[in-house]
Amino acid sequence: MTKDVIALTAKMPDTTALMVALTAGGADLDAQTAADGAVIQLLGSGGRPLVSVEAPVLVQVPGEVERLLGTPSATPVWWTETRASTAVPEAAPLAGAVAGRLAEVLGGTVWPEGAGHVGVVPVTSEASAAPAPVGALPTVDVVTESTAVVLADRPVLGLTAWLSDVLRTTAEFGAALHIVTPDHCRLSLPLRTALAGAPNRWVVQDPECGYYDGLSGAVLSWQDGTFAPARDEAGRPRLAAAFGRAGTPGERRLTVQFRTEHPAEEELLVGRSLEAAWRTLTGGPPAGWGTAEPVNLPWSPRQLTDLARGRAPEPTLVTAVGSPERPALATVRVTRTAAGVEEDVTLSLGYGPSEEVPSAALAELAEVLAAGHGLVSMLVSVGPGRRDLSLVPRVSVPAVPVSFTLGGAGVAEATLTRARRPPLAVTPVQVGPQRRPGLHYPLGDGADPAAWEALSTLLSHLRTAVPPPA
């Protein structure tokens, strides 16, 4: 039985419903709050957390439940996660009983199918009497001096509020987070971005080699309290055979990375540049946004702006998603700087074999962002990728640049004359206001890897200072 069980209910889990759910362990278990009240834990007789119940999230974005769980669900719906400790055999059925009782009382379903029930689960294992280690993270499966290990099994593992908290906590202690999944699991783009780079890892279970890194393909083994690359006789990392298996042919991902800068004015609404890009490429706005997955709020630049202002001077990182019909997902980082407000956006869109990537709209997108949204720069690339934008633990061909756009400030710094004459067979298109124009550089159709060399040459040309007069 899975250790993660989710109740999807029509009504909000109130105090009464939670009390009914928590009695699933009988009268011998105690309950306490953690994470500033956002988590309720059922404790064994020795104080070890057996099951943690996360604060319910009202998901108002259509398609979000299906994106992460593969289960269609009407919205709005209350999403309540329960997580079981792997140290106690009874913990998983106990988590299922908690979720099942919530669904029974409030009307709803339990994921995964068949995990929910309403019976009492007596906890008699000796492990329940073992005290929790001092400073242990709630429901983290293994904690060593260097690494926190989380076991997960769901169709798409997203950057939940809980995982964000674990990542933040491990980083503060200088430790790594290693997420261990079966090979059929996929990662969401936000979680993949958060795990990028050492010391964090996506550890994939494999019947042939044991474990491998889902992002690099390196075979891993448990060494000195952490997962580390297993090496051959020459000391070189070994590559898992499973990592080289082919993915879904013909599916592609368009990635648009851009930065904008705005004066810190009272009427400023952050998120408008993302909405403009979304409308240009899809014909409509984002469907929803949130600070974690599942993305739960209907799209609102006003609410996003209020959140960013409340968090300043600390940066704000949010995720936006599209409709199920047009898979799209973006991360937005809003930062208060000495010059004003900066937005760093990565927007990804998925396309099937019979769908056309909107390459013809990229010049229009450059014009829109340069003319009204303070564009600093934009890079667009195309590469293989699932239409639903999730990541599989397989090798993939790198994306190839399609275009680069430099905003008016960058063109002015390089000088318009120089920026118009790159040492390439490329004719830049002028975009934005006439008094301070930007330039849009087409680099290809995304099929020729030589576009990377062209981009490098272009950027080097734009960075080279103009020699002073003799």
Side-chain angles (χ1 to χ4, degrees):
M1 182 178 292
T2 181
K3 63 186 288 289
D4 294 351
V5 185
I6 300 170
L8 302 169
T9 59
K11 298 178 182 177
M12 177 182 176
D14 56 14
T15 303
T16 300
L18 287 171
M19 291 301 295
V20 170
L22 294 174
T23 59
D28 295 333
L29 300 185
D30 294 325
Q32 71 175 19
T33 60
D36 297 324
V39 178
I40 300 175
Q41 295 178 327
L42 278 175
L43 307 179
S45 57
R48 176 180 290 276
L50 304 178
V51 171
S52 294
V53 183
E54 300 289 316
V57 175
L58 178 61
V59 180
Q60 304 174 66
V61 182
E64 190 65 355
V65 173
E66 185 171 7
R67 179 177 75 87
L68 295 172
L69 300 181
T71 301
S73 175
T75 50
V77 64
W78 287 94
W79 172 305
T80 307
E81 296 215 15
T82 61
R83 293 186 178 84
S85 167
T86 54
V88 183
E90 296 90 343
L94 180 57
V98 171
R101 290 181 174 215
L102 287 175
E104 179 76 14
V105 172
L106 301 171
T109 60
V110 173
W111 178 92
E113 186 178 357
H117 61 95
V118 295
V120 175
V121 182
V123 179
T124 59
S125 299
E126 291 295 326
S128 66
V134 176
L137 294 161
T139 61
V140 168
D141 297 287
V142 177
V143 179
T144 69
E145 291 185 358
S146 65
T147 306
V149 179
V150 171
L151 308 181
D153 184 358
R154 57 177 71 183
V156 177
L157 189 61
L159 186 59
T160 64
W162 174 74
L163 271 179
S164 295
D165 187 54
V166 174
L167 272 166
R168 185 166 48 250
T169 302
T170 53
E172 289 173 355
F173 285 99
L177 172 61
H178 290 181
I179 300 177
V180 182
T181 74
D183 64 358
H184 60 258
C185 290
R186 293 168 275 136
L187 297 190
S188 72
L189 278 176
L191 180 56
R192 188 259 181 268
T193 301
L195 287 178
N200 302 320
R201 289 189 188 276
W202 177 19
V203 181
V204 180
Q205 297 170 320
D206 180 68
E208 295 182 11
C209 67
Y211 301 94
Y212 68 93
D213 190 304
L215 302 181
S216 71
V219 175
L220 302 173
S221 62
W222 185 253
Q223 308 171 35
D224 300 322
T226 192
F227 283 100
R231 302 183 182 275
D232 60 20
E233 294 180 356
R236 295 168 299 194
R238 295 160 45 206
L239 192 68
F243 189 69
R245 294 172 188 158
T248 306
E251 295 188 325
R252 291 155 296 165
R253 183 168 71 241
L254 176 71
T255 303
V256 182
Q257 299 168 285
F258 64 88
R259 175 176 295 177
T260 62
E261 288 182 345
H262 322 275
E265 300 172 337
E266 183 64 30
E267 62 271 19
L268 172 66
L269 288 178
V270 298
R272 290 181 59 249
S273 59
L274 173 61
E275 180 174 330
W278 213 295
R279 288 184 181 278
T280 301
L281 296 176
T282 72
W289 73 284
T291 57
E293 295 178 283
V295 172
N296 62 317
L297 300 170
W299 175 247
S300 171
R302 169 55 64 191
Q303 292 181 350
L304 173 54
T305 301
D306 291 343
L307 176 68
R309 282 180 173 157
R311 291 187 172 184
E314 295 298 317
T316 295
L317 181 65
V318 302
T319 297
V321 295
S323 64
E325 297 76 26
R326 167 42 50 222
L329 190 148
T331 56
V332 185
R333 184 180 179 88
V334 183
T335 308
R336 183 70 165 90
T337 67
V341 178
E342 184 177 280
E343 293 180 73
D344 286 286
V345 177
T346 299
L347 168 61
S348 298
L349 301 99
Y351 298 90
S354 62
E355 295 177 305
E356 183 178 354
V357 176
S359 301
L362 297 180
E364 177 188 354
L365 174 58
E367 173 65 34
V368 168
L369 295 180
H373 297 280
L375 179 68
V376 176
S377 63
M378 178 175 70
L379 174 64
V380 182
S381 58
V382 174
R386 288 177 60 98
R387 185 180 187 273
D388 63 13
L389 301 175
S390 63
L391 280 298
V392 295
R394 302 286 183 268
V395 67
S396 62
V397 178
V400 174
V402 174
S403 66
F404 177 77
T405 306
L406 186 64
V411 170
E413 184 177 349
T415 75
L416 181 59
T417 300
R418 182 179 183 83
R420 275 176 169 166
R421 299 174 179 175
L424 301 167
V426 170
T427 302
V429 179
Q430 185 168 310
V431 293
Q434 291 292 328
R435 56 181 177 79
R436 202 179 194 191
L439 290 173
H440 174 70
Y441 302 86
L443 298 175
D445 60 2
D448 186 357
W452 277 114
E453 184 177 348
L455 176 63
S456 178
T457 300
L458 173 62
L459 295 179
S460 178
H461 173 76
L462 294 173
R463 282 194 295 263
T464 303
V466 178

